[in-house]
């Protein structure tokens, strides 16, 4: 634009190059960190509500134990149970942060491989299942302070795989 001074054109070019425009062409009304945090909270709490419902129906397991069990990944099983509501809240926060990291990871992958947007269903599902394997088959068995169960009912494993596919789809939708 000849009416704009050269310095203003440089600033506009810089702003356009670093705008928050979404790869699919529409602008995000919130900063990326808000999408990551909000996604971690929404997807994480939805998964925890699902787990609480499953175990409540399956074994009459109190819902607070789900969140305390997650806190136990860091504190140890007995310490997490002894901590009452405080460790349950810590478990909720920890799980929201873990799922937020999953959201951020998918967003980063989608930024580097924009074709993931075109294949959101399959890519999101595969990502969620990969995150399940990473968390429950690699990280927790090797680094958790909790006493982990040696086996779970097959119905729980299938339910977890479905839930993590859903988390992956949520990550794809947010990205």
């Amino acid at each position: 634009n000849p009416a704009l001074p050269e310095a203003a054109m440089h600033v506009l070019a810089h702003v356009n190059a670093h705008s928050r425009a979404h790869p699919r062409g529409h602008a995000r009304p919130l900063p990326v960190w808000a999408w990551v945090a909000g996604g971690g909270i929404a997807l994480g709490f939805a998964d925890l509500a699902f787990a609480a419902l499953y175990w409540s129906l399956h074994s009459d397991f109190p819902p607070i134990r789900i969140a305390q069990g997650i806190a136990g990944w860091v504190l140890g099983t007995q310490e997490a149970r002894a901590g009452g509501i405080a460790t349950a809240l810590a478990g909720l926060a920890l799980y929201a942060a873990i799922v937020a990291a999953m959201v951020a990871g998918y967003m980063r992958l989608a930024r580097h491989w924009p074709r993931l947007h075109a294949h959101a269903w399959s890519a999101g599902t595969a990502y969620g299942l990969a995150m399940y394997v990473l968390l429950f088959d690699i990280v927790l068995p090797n680094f958790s302070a909790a006493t982990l169960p040696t086996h779970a009912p097959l119905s729980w494993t299938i339910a977890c795989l479905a839930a993590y596919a859903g988390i992956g789809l949520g990550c794809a939708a947010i990205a």
Side-chain angles (χ1 to χ4, degrees):
N1 185 351
L4 290 175
E6 186 176 326
M9 289 182 358
H10 175 71
V11 169
L12 286 175
H14 181 74
V15 167
N16 288 335
H18 298 292
S19 72
R20 293 186 188 148
H22 193 269
R24 288 178 276 195
H26 56 276
R28 291 187 182 276
L30 298 172
V32 171
W33 68 264
W35 286 99
V36 169
I41 291 167
L43 296 170
F45 286 10
D47 184 44
L48 291 176
F50 167 73
L53 178 64
Y54 176 92
W55 286 108
S56 176
L57 295 173
H58 183 274
S59 302
D60 201 28
F61 201 70
I64 193 171
R65 288 284 175 91
I66 303 296
Q68 287 174 333
I70 293 169
W73 297 347
V74 175
L75 302 172
T77 303
Q78 296 306 319
E79 293 81 358
R81 286 185 184 167
I85 192 72
T87 54
L89 291 172
L92 291 173
L94 175 61
Y95 197 66
I98 290 168
V99 177
M102 292 177 193
V103 171
Y106 192 94
M107 290 177 85
R108 187 157 180 92
L109 287 172
R111 191 172 67 210
H112 289 297
W113 290 293
R115 294 187 64 201
L116 291 178
H117 293 294
H119 305 285
W121 283 97
S122 57
T125 299
Y127 181 78
L129 295 175
M131 291 298 99
Y132 174 85
V133 169
L134 177 65
L135 182 60
F136 293 102
D137 291 341
I138 298 171
V139 174
L140 291 177
N142 291 301
F143 300 104
S144 176
T147 304
L148 300 174
T150 55
H151 67 282
L154 179 60
S155 62
W156 173 242
T157 302
I158 293 168
C160 283
L161 291 171
Y164 266 74
I167 289 172
L169 289 171
C171 292
I174 292 168

